[in-house]
Amino acid sequence: MNIRKIFMLAVLWQFPFLAIHAQQYNSDSWLSKPHGTITIIPTFGQRSSMLMNTYSLFPKWEFTMAAYMYNNDNDPKTDDGYSLSFFGKFMFYENKDRTGGAAIKAGTGLFPGVLKGDNGGNDAFKTYWMNMPVTLPLFKNKVSWDIMPGASMTKDYGDEEKTAFSFTYSTRIAWYPLNPETSIVGEVFGTVGETKSIPEYKIGLRWEPSQFAVFALTYGQEFNGTNGAGFEFGIMLFTPPFACLGGCGANKGKNKLFKRKPKPAPPSQ
């Protein structure tokens, strides 16, 4: 077993230890969880599986690490590659009703849907990116619309080993037809530019039974191809706020996510 596999196994081991990679959607919402919250997100899919861990170490800030395991040949016994992603998120605006807002994210590594070709996993850590999730509540909170434009830079790209720049886009709509706990979700995302990828879509159901858990079942495919995500099942688990740098006691009054009634806006990703 090489060093890369040992490292990947070490990363993946910590996630089941903590709770048992954002949910399977590429899009994210504006929201940063309350200071001190830890989020654990396992996702199991036909194309790839993911384990993600997010730490809200500071107010309005999240720091995330994700590990992806690929299954390109539909044989779970074969090694089809691994990839990692690390990024931070800062929520700089939230509306008065706390149903929408805006944030900025930046990091390295790529979501599987924007990796290109068989060497995508190898190129992922040469890529640095930034995007801005914006969430708009519509129709008296019956619809939540996430818009996430961004850009990426990849070093030593292609045979010419040049620096390549691209524009990334992702948008997601969640419709809550019956109650704030159940939504029908649709998403489109892709990359254009020097490192373009085939646009993809995802559709599915999301269930938010409590402030501590979210479940989602989706199907995804490329618009002009056959290497889409397929069926995926994802879980988001939230801890009460406790992992605070500088202490959580001073922020008790600010950690209102776990005290308010559920609203039709995704807890994040």
Side-chain angles (χ1 to χ4, degrees):
M1 184 176 292
N2 59 33
I3 294 177
R4 183 186 180 192
K5 288 186 178 180
I6 293 174
F7 176 68
M8 284 297 305
L9 289 174
V11 170
L12 296 179
W13 172 254
Q14 70 172 309
F15 294 94
F17 178 77
L18 285 171
I20 335 192
H21 301 1
Q23 217 156 356
Q24 59 259 43
Y25 301 105
N26 184 74
S27 304
D28 194 2
S29 73
W30 90 100
L31 187 62
S32 290
K33 271 79 71 183
H35 183 202
T37 303
I38 294 177
T39 308
I40 301 98
I41 310 169
T43 298
F44 309 94
Q46 290 182 284
R47 178 178 64 184
S48 62
S49 295
M50 175 180 68
L51 287 167
M52 178 177 285
N53 210 5
T54 294
Y55 300 88
S56 302
L57 298 179
F58 306 102
K60 300 183 179 181
W61 280 92
E62 291 181 347
F63 300 92
T64 299
M65 60 184 300
Y68 305 92
M69 299 175 293
Y70 301 107
N71 184 31
N72 296 330
D73 60 1
N74 296 318
D75 184 353
K77 299 187 294 295
T78 59
D79 178 5
D80 296 324
Y82 307 91
S83 181
L84 293 173
S85 182
F86 297 93
F87 55 91
K89 176 182 178 181
F90 174 65
M91 182 181 68
F92 63 85
Y93 169 72
E94 186 176 47
N95 66 18
K96 183 174 64 174
D97 295 330
R98 307 189 71 181
T99 57
I104 191 165
K105 297 170 63 177
T108 183
L110 289 174
F111 186 81
V114 298
L115 296 174
K116 183 178 179 181
D118 296 334
N119 295 322
N122 298 328
D123 292 338
F125 243 30
K126 299 178 183 179
T127 298
Y128 300 87
W129 53 265
M130 179 178 292
N131 58 47
M132 188 173 73
V134 177
T135 300
L136 303 174
L138 304 171
F139 305 109
K140 297 182 179 181
N141 294 324
K142 285 289 187 179
V143 173
S144 181
W145 184 17
D146 299 315
I147 306 167
M148 196 173 75
S152 68
M153 179 192 74
T154 302
K155 300 188 301 181
D156 303 324
Y157 178 75
D159 295 335
E160 300 177 2
E161 296 187 349
K162 64 178 182 178
T163 299
F165 295 89
S166 295
F167 169 75
T168 62
Y169 60 91
S170 185
T171 184
R172 174 180 60 178
I173 290 181
W175 176 40
Y176 296 78
L178 300 176
N179 54 59
E181 289 78 38
T182 306
S183 59
I184 300 170
V185 184
E187 178 185 53
V188 175
F189 60 94
T191 305
V192 295
E194 295 176 292
T195 59
K196 65 181 179 180
S197 66
I198 299 175
E200 295 189 32
Y201 68 87
K202 286 189 179 182
I203 54 174
L205 296 173
R206 183 170 59 198
W207 181 43
E208 306 169 39
S210 76
Q211 65 267 48
F212 298 111
V214 177
F215 302 88
L217 177 65
T218 60
Y219 175 78
Q221 188 56 270
E222 295 174 333
F223 279 102
N224 187 25
T226 58
N227 191 35
F231 287 100
E232 293 180 300
F233 176 69
I235 307 170
M236 297 179 67
L237 302 172
F238 309 96
T239 70
F242 76 95
C244 307
L245 291 182
C248 294
N251 295 280
K252 279 186 178 180
K254 298 179 181 179
N255 291 327
K256 298 179 181 177
L257 176 64
F258 297 104
K259 299 178 182 179
R260 64 187 180 185
K261 295 180 180 179
K263 289 184 180 290
S268 180
Q269 297 181 323

